[in-house]
mmCIF file of all heavy atoms in Angstrom:
data_model
loop_
_atom_site.group_PDB
_atom_site.id
_atom_site.type_symbol
_atom_site.label_atom_id
_atom_site.label_comp_id
_atom_site.label_asym_id
_atom_site.label_seq_id
_atom_site.Cartn_x
_atom_site.Cartn_y
_atom_site.Cartn_z
ATOM 1 N N ASN A 331 16.483 12.761 -9.394
ATOM 2 C CA ASN A 331 17.543 13.772 -9.075
ATOM 3 C C ASN A 331 17.178 15.092 -9.740
ATOM 4 O O ASN A 331 16.301 15.176 -10.595
ATOM 5 C CB ASN A 331 18.965 13.269 -9.531
ATOM 6 C CG ASN A 331 19.055 13.027 -10.986
ATOM 7 O OD1 ASN A 331 18.810 13.928 -11.835
ATOM 8 N ND2 ASN A 331 19.405 11.766 -11.272
ATOM 9 N N ALA A 332 17.883 16.118 -9.290
ATOM 10 C CA ALA A 332 17.533 17.465 -9.617
ATOM 11 C C ALA A 332 17.624 17.590 -11.227
ATOM 12 O O ALA A 332 16.821 18.294 -11.853
ATOM 13 C CB ALA A 332 18.446 18.472 -9.005
ATOM 14 N N GLU A 386 3.978 31.060 -15.000
ATOM 15 C CA GLU A 386 3.770 31.157 -16.551
ATOM 16 C C GLU A 386 2.401 30.507 -16.838
ATOM 17 O O GLU A 386 1.706 31.020 -17.722
ATOM 18 C CB GLU A 386 4.866 30.379 -17.208
ATOM 19 C CG GLU A 386 5.108 30.724 -18.654
ATOM 20 C CD GLU A 386 6.478 30.368 -19.182
ATOM 21 O OE1 GLU A 386 7.161 29.545 -18.564
ATOM 22 O OE2 GLU A 386 6.738 30.814 -20.277
ATOM 23 N N MET A 387 2.072 29.475 -16.200
ATOM 24 C CA MET A 387 0.695 28.870 -16.347
ATOM 25 C C MET A 387 -0.443 29.820 -15.997
ATOM 26 O O MET A 387 -1.387 29.916 -16.665
ATOM 27 C CB MET A 387 0.590 27.505 -15.601
ATOM 28 C CG MET A 387 1.366 26.404 -16.198
ATOM 29 S SD MET A 387 1.315 24.963 -15.064
ATOM 30 C CE MET A 387 2.066 23.697 -16.167
ATOM 31 N N GLU A 446 -18.690 -5.697 -10.224
ATOM 32 C CA GLU A 446 -18.581 -5.305 -11.620
ATOM 33 C C GLU A 446 -18.066 -6.538 -12.484
ATOM 34 O O GLU A 446 -18.337 -6.581 -13.684
ATOM 35 C CB GLU A 446 -17.480 -4.186 -11.723
ATOM 36 C CG GLU A 446 -17.887 -2.917 -11.071
ATOM 37 C CD GLU A 446 -16.762 -1.930 -10.997
ATOM 38 O OE1 GLU A 446 -15.683 -2.180 -11.397
ATOM 39 O OE2 GLU A 446 -17.040 -0.754 -10.522
ATOM 40 N N GLY A 450 -18.932 -12.372 -6.253
ATOM 41 C CA GLY A 450 -19.105 -11.762 -4.888
ATOM 42 C C GLY A 450 -18.160 -12.519 -3.905
ATOM 43 O O GLY A 450 -17.382 -13.326 -4.277
ATOM 44 N N ASP A 466 -4.184 -0.477 -0.746
ATOM 45 C CA ASP A 466 -3.844 0.208 -2.048
ATOM 46 C C ASP A 466 -4.910 -0.315 -3.096
ATOM 47 O O ASP A 466 -5.115 -1.488 -3.290
ATOM 48 C CB ASP A 466 -2.560 -0.259 -2.393
ATOM 49 C CG ASP A 466 -2.136 0.307 -3.766
ATOM 50 O OD1 ASP A 466 -2.000 1.515 -3.877
ATOM 51 O OD2 ASP A 466 -2.087 -0.450 -4.772
ATOM 52 N N ARG A 548 2.842 -9.333 20.301
ATOM 53 C CA ARG A 548 2.428 -8.051 20.964
ATOM 54 C C ARG A 548 0.946 -7.802 20.503
ATOM 55 O O ARG A 548 0.180 -7.367 21.360
ATOM 56 C CB ARG A 548 3.319 -6.917 20.503
ATOM 57 C CG ARG A 548 2.982 -5.529 21.051
ATOM 58 C CD ARG A 548 4.107 -4.511 20.891
ATOM 59 N NE ARG A 548 5.072 -4.894 19.912
ATOM 60 C CZ ARG A 548 5.077 -4.186 18.732
ATOM 61 N NH1 ARG A 548 4.125 -3.249 18.483
ATOM 62 N NH2 ARG A 548 6.036 -4.415 17.867
ATOM 63 N N LEU A 550 -1.279 -10.015 20.007
ATOM 64 C CA LEU A 550 -2.200 -10.872 20.789
ATOM 65 C C LEU A 550 -2.274 -10.397 22.204
ATOM 66 O O LEU A 550 -3.452 -10.417 22.794
ATOM 67 C CB LEU A 550 -1.591 -12.348 20.748
ATOM 68 C CG LEU A 550 -1.604 -13.071 19.494
ATOM 69 C CD1 LEU A 550 -1.011 -14.487 19.734
ATOM 70 C CD2 LEU A 550 -2.994 -13.103 18.894
ATOM 71 N N THR A 596 22.937 -7.102 16.826
ATOM 72 C CA THR A 596 24.261 -6.818 17.239
ATOM 73 C C THR A 596 25.293 -7.874 16.613
ATOM 74 O O THR A 596 26.444 -7.890 16.981
ATOM 75 C CB THR A 596 24.469 -6.850 18.755
ATOM 76 O OG1 THR A 596 23.969 -8.164 19.349
ATOM 77 C CG2 THR A 596 23.708 -5.662 19.354
ATOM 78 N N ALA A 619 -2.321 -28.000 29.784
ATOM 79 C CA ALA A 619 -3.177 -28.686 28.901
ATOM 80 C C ALA A 619 -3.365 -30.089 29.401
ATOM 81 O O ALA A 619 -2.507 -30.648 30.020
ATOM 82 C CB ALA A 619 -2.426 -28.772 27.571
#
Side-chain angles (χ1 to χ4, degrees):
N331 58 58
E386 202 162 10
M387 288 177 168
E446 291 172 359
D466 177 71
R548 177 163 26 103
L550 293 183
T596 57

